[in-house]
């Protein structure tokens, strides 16, 4: 029985027949019917004697598990006793990565609310879409980011409280300690994760309390294998589920320490790793490429695991990081719809260039347009199912993502004879030129192996003769002359690296590439440029 008195989110789940099949038979995914993930991820560390161990380390403050739990309880009391939160209410959180953001997150979970975390760079128009679609009733916000939120359309918002200006801090100081966790069901919704909205109105993905533990007990415990002595660090925002898992949930599940940095560009991350003696790093492939060039200037000897996700990992980046640090990058593919990584490989099973194998508890296959599995070595659409899966908030696109019980992620893959999955492209990033199927990321990987290339993005450009041609947008390394001779050299280099028909017939040099807040290359923006002839 649900603990939610406000049933809006549950009422707007997709029909059961549109849900994916969930695989929950493995012992590690069998959770009790009543479950509050904040208790399991935070309070259990106090019971295990980890209360004095550092939970969060930031440039501003360090909080032990006991101190964090106290702040969480007091914020929960503010939410319930002063702001009238009832279980099932949606609470928008808006902040960079800091201790108050984590405390607010767990306070909402513990009180039985539903977290809706938003990227710090979103503007009023984008926030309005989230506020309206999720019927947000409460918001907790870093005061530095409140202006856009106040300008947004929020017809259901009753309370907006900020920290950083003393408002929430004052309420917390007056609140009584201790808070009894809401008796939520394991399948009560606790998180609405919104997708980036790059293809239209953002989609809200609904996740249960048990889902938060499933990603810890799946990818976390069986592939990443963290230890209580680990110190996690990274760049992804906590509003991005890759960051939530990698910088909070995985360390908390084992009682480890998380370092949170409000800004963690790749130019600064190596110094932070050295300063905090971090052992596990989460960031995007592009960041690892830059960091590899800086590795010799910093003591990175504390690192023992490096996780790459958010976009495809080109083999040249894998190789450069291994040369620089001696570490194999742990590639992985996840999705907001799946909550976190579902295909990866532990260090001993990594094959450079491959994404990896299904995380234990998940199954994956490559299928054709009709949903039938294709022979190994054949290109097709990735389909996956496991203990987590897609449930959109009141969205007809549910029927596109879930087909015949499988989550269809929108990625094109090949599975080899040994079961490893090899990324080709997003489904809409395949370039069809004169009848050939060409994967843009494969061409990007070839270009990145050239010593003159700092970054690149490859898309299809309209062409009267071939339908499309491969166009490469290239950021040269500092000091490199970007001219016709370099374009020709890059084209010849690609012809020698991969099948010659895949080479970029058009090379455009630029100063920077369009990227999302999480570091993903915005190929759709490059496609628009190509369509406009730019």
């Amino acid at each position: 029985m649900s603990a939610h008195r406000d049933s809006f989110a549950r009422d707007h789940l997709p029909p059961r027949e549109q849900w994916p099949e969930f695989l929950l038979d493995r012992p590690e995914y069998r959770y009790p019917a009543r479950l509050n993930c904040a208790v399991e991820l935070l309070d259990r560390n106090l019971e295990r004697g980890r209360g004095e161990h550092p939970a969060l380390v930031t440039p501003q403050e360090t909080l032990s598990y006991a101190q964090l739990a106290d702040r969480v309880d007091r914020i929960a009391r503010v939410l319930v006793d002063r702001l009238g939160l009832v279980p099932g209410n949606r609470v928008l959180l808006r902040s960079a990565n800091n201790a108050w953001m984590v405390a607010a997150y767990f306070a909402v979970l513990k009180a039985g609310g539903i977290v809706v975390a938003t990227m710090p760079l979103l503007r009023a128009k984008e926030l309005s879409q989230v506020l309206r679609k999720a019927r947000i009733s409460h918001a907790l916000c870093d005061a530095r980011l409140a202006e856009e939120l106040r300008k947004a359309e929020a017809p259901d918002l009753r309370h907006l409280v900020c920290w950083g200006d003393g408002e929430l801090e004052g309420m917390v100081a007056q609140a009584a300690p201790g808070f009894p966790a809401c008796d939520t069901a394991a399948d009560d919704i606790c998180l609405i994760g919104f997708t980036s909205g790059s293809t239209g109105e953002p989609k809200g993905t609904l996740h249960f309390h048990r889902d938060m533990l499933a990603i810890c007990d799946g990818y976390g415990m069986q592939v990443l294998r963290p230890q209580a002595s680990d110190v996690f660090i990274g760049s992804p925002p906590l509003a991005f589920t890759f960051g939530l898992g990698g910088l909070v949930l995985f360390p908390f599940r084992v009682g480890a320490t998380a370092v949170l940095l409000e800004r963690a560009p790749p130019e600064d991350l190596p110094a932070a790793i050295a300063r905090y003696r971090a052992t596990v790093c989460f960031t995007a492939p592009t960041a690892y490429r830059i960091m590899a060039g800086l590795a010799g200037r910093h003591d990175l000897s504390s690192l023992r695991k490096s996780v790459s996700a958010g976009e495809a990992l080109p083999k040249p980046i894998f190789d450069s990081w291994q040369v620089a640090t001696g570490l194999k990058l742990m590639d992985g593919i996840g999705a907001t719809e799946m909550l976190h990584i579902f295909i990866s490989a532990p260090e001993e099973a990594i094959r450079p260039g491959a994404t990896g194998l299904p995380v234990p508890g998940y199954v994956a296959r490559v299928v054709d347009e009709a949903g039938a599995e294709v022979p190994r070595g054949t290109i097709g659409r990735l389909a996956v199912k496991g203990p987590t899966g897609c449930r959109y908030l009141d969205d007809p696109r549910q029927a596109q993502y879930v087909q015949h019980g499988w989550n269809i992620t929108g990625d094109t893959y090949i599975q080899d004879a040994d079961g490893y999955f090899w990324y080709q492209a997003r489904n809409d990033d395949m370039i069809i030129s004169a009848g050939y199927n060409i994967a843009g990321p494969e061409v990007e990987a070839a270009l990145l192996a050239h010593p003159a290339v700092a970054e690149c993005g490859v898309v299809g450009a309209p062409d009267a003769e071939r339908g499309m041609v491969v166009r490469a947008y290239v950021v040269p390394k500092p000091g490199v002359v970007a001219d016709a001779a370099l374009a020709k050299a890059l084209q010849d280099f690609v012809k020698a690296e991969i099948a010659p028909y895949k080479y970029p017939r058009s090379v455009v040099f630029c100063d920077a590439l369009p990227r999302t807040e999480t570091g993903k290359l915005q190929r759709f923006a490059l496609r628009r440029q190509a369509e406009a002839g730019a």
Side-chain angles (χ1 to χ4, degrees), residues 464-488:
E465 181 181 345
R466 295 175 172 270
M468 275 189 177
V469 295
V470 177
R471 174 168 294 174
Y473 292 88
V474 175
V475 178
K477 286 186 176 178
V480 173
V481 177
D483 57 11
L486 178 59
K488 177 68 164 55

Side-chain angles (χ1 to χ4, degrees), residues 69 101 153 176 186 214 218 223 233 235 243 265 275 290 300 313 320 324 373 399 423 425 457 481 489 495 511 527:
M101 174 65 166
E153 296 177 21
V223 179
I233 199 169
S235 65
R275 175 184 175 187
I290 295 170
L300 305 184
L313 172 62
S320 65
E373 188 170 11
Y423 180 79
V481 177
K495 288 179 185 178
D511 295 329
R527 284 196 294 269

Side-chain angles (χ1 to χ4, degrees), residues 110-398:
K110 196 167 184 179
I114 298 173
V115 171
V116 182
T118 56
M119 297 291 188
L121 290 183
L122 293 186
R123 296 295 180 253
K125 180 181 178 181
E126 298 156 312
L127 289 168
S128 296
Q129 293 178 313
V130 172
L131 287 156
R132 288 196 304 265
K133 185 157 189 172
R135 300 279 297 275
I136 299 293
S137 60
H138 298 69
L140 301 179
C141 181
D142 188 311
R144 295 168 293 177
L145 298 172
E147 182 180 357
E148 291 294 323
L149 182 53
R150 290 194 173 102
K151 291 192 296 187
E153 296 177 21
D156 300 283
L157 185 63
R158 303 196 303 271
H159 298 283
L160 166 58
V161 177
C162 293
W163 69 82
D165 60 358
E167 184 182 18
L168 182 58
E169 292 93 330
M171 293 181 177
V172 166
Q174 296 172 14
F179 181 86
C182 182
D183 181 28
T184 46
D187 61 356
D188 272 336
I189 298 159
C190 71
L191 169 64
I192 303 178
F194 274 86
T195 61
S196 63
S198 60
T199 56
E201 183 183 357
K203 301 179 285 285
T205 65
L206 301 164
H207 297 290
F208 297 166
H209 280 267
R210 64 170 165 82
D211 298 341
M212 304 284 265
L213 300 185
I215 63 171
C216 298
D217 299 335
Y219 172 78
M221 301 298 283
Q222 300 181 68
V223 179
L224 184 62
R225 302 169 187 164
Q227 301 169 1
S229 57
D230 275 320
V231 177
F232 286 67
I233 199 169
S235 65
L238 299 184
F240 182 29
T241 55
F242 175 48
L244 173 67
L247 299 180
V248 179
L249 304 188
F250 299 159
F252 281 20
R253 188 60 164 161
V254 296
T257 300
V259 174
L260 296 182
L261 305 171
E262 294 197 346
R263 290 192 69 260
E267 294 82 6
D268 297 343
L269 199 49
I273 291 169
R275 175 184 175 187
Y276 294 105
R277 306 305 296 158
T279 61
V280 182
C281 181
F282 277 72
T283 192
T286 303
Y288 282 115
R289 180 176 177 82
I290 295 170
M291 289 164 61
L294 302 173
R297 306 179 194 175
H298 304 279
D299 179 7
L300 305 184
S301 60
S302 61
L303 269 186
R304 67 185 195 92
K305 293 176 186 285
S306 304
V307 179
S308 172
E311 61 182 345
L313 172 62
K315 188 174 180 296
I317 296 179
F318 178 97
D319 292 340
S320 65
W321 184 250
Q322 187 172 19
V323 169
T325 66
L327 297 173
K328 294 181 178 180
L329 275 175
M330 299 178 69
D331 194 10
I333 180 173
T336 307
E337 289 84 354
M338 303 297 293
L339 192 54
H340 215 273
I341 292 172
F342 52 85
I343 293 177
S344 185
E347 293 101 322
E348 71 273 10
I350 288 173
R351 291 191 180 178
T355 305
L357 300 162
V359 169
Y362 290 82
V363 293
R365 63 185 188 180
V366 178
V367 302
D368 60 21
E369 289 299 319
E373 188 170 11
V374 300
R376 297 287 175 96
T378 304
I379 197 168
R381 302 184 302 160
L382 181 64
V384 62
K385 55 186 170 183
T388 61
C390 178
R391 293 165 299 239
Y392 285 139
L393 173 68
D394 192 22
D395 200 305
R397 291 171 286 188
Q398 177 77 16

